[in-house]
Amino acid sequence: MVLEDVRRPTGPSLETGLTCSSPLTTSGAEATITWNTGETSWFDYTQASINVGGLTTVVAYVGTVLHGKFYGSTVTWTITYTSALLNLACLINPEGLSVLQGVSQLTVTRVL
């Protein structure tokens, strides 16, 4: 599976244009998933929560598949960041973060 974030064409685990005062707050966006079969799913999502705990910061997004494979399904997308790297990035560049990478997990749920 390849996940392409329409708002950030470089990929799902790469955030750009973030500020250090509010580094993980987003209003949501749209993304396209290209499955290993060549089929695609297009979905929109909004930020659902931010959980800072110990060494990691987890941001959760929730959305709905609006077109393509799994149409109508619910999408839950979590990205886990290392909190120390987030803090270090802000110390190095307090005007804003140019990039922030994390580990992504995407769950597609279909109610039967």
Side-chain angles (χ1 to χ4, degrees), residues 22-45:
S22 185
L24 300 174
T25 302
T26 65
S27 60
E30 301 164 344
T32 301
I33 306 165
T34 302
W35 303 98
N36 60 355
T37 60
E39 297 170 283
T40 60
S41 298
W42 176 74
F43 67 97
D44 69 342
Y45 60 89

Side-chain angles (χ1 to χ4, degrees), residues 20-82:
C20 289
S21 61
S22 185
L24 300 174
T25 302
T26 65
S27 60
E30 301 164 344
T32 301
I33 306 165
T34 302
W35 303 98
N36 60 355
T37 60
E39 297 170 283
T40 60
S41 298
W42 176 74
F43 67 97
D44 69 342
Y45 60 89
T46 57
Q47 184 171 309
S49 67
I50 297 177
N51 182 11
V52 180
L55 300 175
T56 61
T57 299
V58 179
V59 182
Y61 302 93
V62 176
T64 303
V65 177
L66 300 175
H67 181 72
K69 187 171 186 160
F70 304 116
Y71 172 79
S73 297
T74 300
V75 174
T76 304
W77 179 18
T78 59
I79 305 175
T80 303
Y81 301 99
T82 302

